[in-house]
Amino acid sequence: MTAWVLPDHIADVLPAEARHIEDLRRRMLDTANAYGYELVIPPLIEHLESLLTGTGEALDLQTFKLVDQLSGRMLGVRADTTPQVARIDAHLLNRAGVTRLCYCGPVLRTRPDRPHASREPLQFGAELYGHAGLEADLEVVSLALDGLTQARVGSLTVDLGDARILRSILAGSVLDPIEQTALNAALAAKDGQEVAGLARGLGVEVQQALRALVDLYGDASVLDEAQRCLAGFPGVAAALDALRWMAQHVDGATVTFDLADASGYAYYSGVRFTVYAEPAGEALARGGRYDGVGAVFARRATAAVRPAVGFSLDLKAVVAAAQQRGPKPAIRAPWGQGEHLRAAIASLRGRGETVVCMLPGHESEIDEFFCDRELVEVAGHWIVRAI
């Protein structure tokens, strides 16, 4: 094996793609800032018990673990940034009222979460704390849609669900973590036979509800059908009302429903959503309400549950799904030390232009930039003209 071969599902990002990723990162952070979200930068590693508090087995299995040579304690490399931002909100900021935070940085996972995915996503996300109403959920969905619009990924679909529906159905049933994970996967895959097998041994009403849940995806008629066949479970009606309200207020995307989708991390506690790009059908952003994550950190001032809702996405995956962009236009300039030439180049760069100086002997080489203009001297003045 050669020394330069990277681990599976780990890859370098080369200049053309890296430029597009960085451009999108800046625009999405600007979009979040326009909504009032403040940037935080959590550490890449921290104590394992803090990193995994309240997150469930799925995130534990995705987390690389190591021993701190200074303290001897177990550390984890973050596989998801949401628990870290919840910790920052609870223990470092500890503000009363609403707090809006955003972040962007790499995460590392033991396994890819889907075929051909990276194990090192560049995760962008936004979290809103302190408001339990659906207005917060709607704001987070709107921010996700506005951010993805920046990427030019095509028309968008928001698929809505609610974690309370499955929890209401399973309330009183005993499933160990392995069985729960298997059931979640079968429901997400719409595998009715597997769901029926996993539900064997549960109550008759629970079995019937789980089998019905497999088919509860599609347009708004899904909510009416769910109201009919799941009416006996406390909490389902409130969840369906929340989904109806969200569907009425989401702008800029087609709204669909998937009441069986329990994939992802176990910390979601209410409305959850996935944003897809059409026509490819790529899942580009996931989010929802996760009041339980903030609760386990027990804020200094109070032990009350801290409402929280947010979303995250992988900038690398979004750029891969976006419409292809050509090289960035640039200005070609001769190399030289003349005072007027250097001043002209500095002025152009100060205005945001990319100016590529052709080093002696390399004038004909091709680079990642598209030089559609050139800086030339005319009558003692340096001017830019089209090539």
Side-chain angles (χ1 to χ4, degrees):
M1 178 177 291
T2 55
W4 52 266
V5 175
L6 294 174
D8 290 344
H9 299 280
I10 300 291
D12 294 306
V13 180
L14 300 182
E17 183 182 6
R19 187 171 63 252
H20 294 156
I21 290 172
E22 174 61 14
D23 177 61
L24 180 59
R25 184 191 71 86
R26 294 180 186 184
R27 285 186 285 123
M28 294 197 75
L29 285 173
D30 287 344
T31 301
N33 183 70
Y35 274 69
Y37 286 73
E38 301 172 278
L39 178 65
V40 292
I41 306 176
L44 186 60
I45 61 173
E46 61 176 280
H47 293 128
L48 191 63
E49 61 269 27
S50 173
L51 199 62
L52 298 181
T53 297
T55 60
E57 183 186 28
L59 193 57
D60 186 11
L61 294 175
Q62 282 282 45
T63 301
F64 278 98
K65 303 171 179 70
L66 63 154
V67 176
D68 185 356
Q69 296 300 308
L70 294 180
S71 67
R73 296 176 63 181
M74 288 297 297
L75 302 178
V77 182
R78 67 176 178 225
D80 181 49
T81 314
T82 292
Q84 294 183 294
V85 181
R87 173 182 56 76
I88 289 172
D89 171 70
H91 284 290
L92 298 181
L93 298 178
N94 199 39
R95 296 170 178 168
V98 171
T99 298
R100 294 176 171 89
L101 302 174
C102 64
Y103 58 86
C104 187
V107 298
L108 188 64
R109 294 169 180 167
T110 57
R111 305 178 184 88
D113 59 6
R114 62 187 184 282
H116 312 298
S118 171
R119 290 195 291 165
E120 190 190 17
L122 181 58
Q123 191 178 60
F124 172 90
E127 323 285 345
L128 193 159
Y129 298 93
H131 185 73
L134 289 172
E135 298 86 357
D137 302 65
L138 180 62
E139 178 176 301
V140 166
V141 172
S142 300
L143 175 55
L145 293 174
D146 282 353
L148 287 170
T149 300
Q150 299 287 331
R152 300 193 302 178
V153 292
S155 58
L156 299 171
T157 295
V158 176
D159 202 41
L160 294 172
D162 197 304
R164 292 172 293 182
I165 293 175
L166 181 58
R167 291 206 178 112
S168 295
I169 293 172
L170 294 177
S173 301
V174 179
L175 291 173
D176 64 37
I178 294 176
E179 292 171 329
Q180 182 71 65
T181 299
L183 179 61
N184 290 350
L187 287 168
K190 309 296 181 287
D191 188 340
Q193 185 174 355
E194 181 69 10
V195 169
L198 292 166
R200 193 177 299 118
L202 302 179
V204 174
E205 290 185 357
V206 173
Q207 293 182 49
Q208 293 174 342
L210 291 174
R211 287 196 295 268
L213 207 57
V214 172
D215 297 319
L216 291 176
Y217 63 93
D219 60 22
S221 64
V222 165
L223 303 183
D224 296 329
E225 177 63 17
Q227 191 81 52
R228 184 189 65 79
C229 63
L230 303 178
F233 295 93
V236 169
L240 295 176
D241 288 343
L243 293 175
R244 287 190 181 94
W245 188 91
M246 290 289 294
Q248 292 170 358
H249 292 86
V250 169
D251 290 324
T254 301
V255 177
T256 58
F257 302 90
D258 187 349
L259 305 191
D261 184 8
S263 58
Y265 302 131
Y267 50 62
Y268 289 111
S269 60
V271 172
R272 48 184 298 167
F273 65 91
T274 304
V275 183
Y276 294 91
E278 301 297 340
E282 294 284 342
L284 297 182
R286 295 183 184 275
R289 182 163 289 279
Y290 51 90
D291 297 342
V293 175
V296 297
F297 284 109
R299 290 164 63 85
R300 294 195 305 269
T302 176
V305 172
R306 174 75 160 163
V309 59
F311 78 93
S312 65
L313 53 82
D314 176 12
L315 285 176
K316 295 178 182 178
V318 173
V319 166
Q323 300 173 19
Q324 292 298 314
R325 299 183 181 184
K328 181 179 178 180
I331 298 170
R332 184 173 64 198
W335 186 90
Q337 290 296 312
E339 178 182 350
H340 295 300
L341 172 60
R342 307 310 299 172
I345 292 172
S347 176
L348 290 168
R349 288 173 175 166
R351 299 202 299 267
E353 295 279 7
T354 296
V355 181
V356 181
C357 290
M358 298 292 104
L359 297 175
H362 298 270
E363 291 82 2
S364 62
E365 291 182 2
I366 298 174
D367 56 33
E368 293 288 348
F369 296 94
F370 170 59
C371 292
D372 59 346
R373 293 155 293 162
E374 61 180 349
L375 185 62
V376 297
E377 188 177 19
V378 177
H381 298 281
W382 289 97
I383 65 170
V384 176
R385 71 181 183 189
I387 296 177

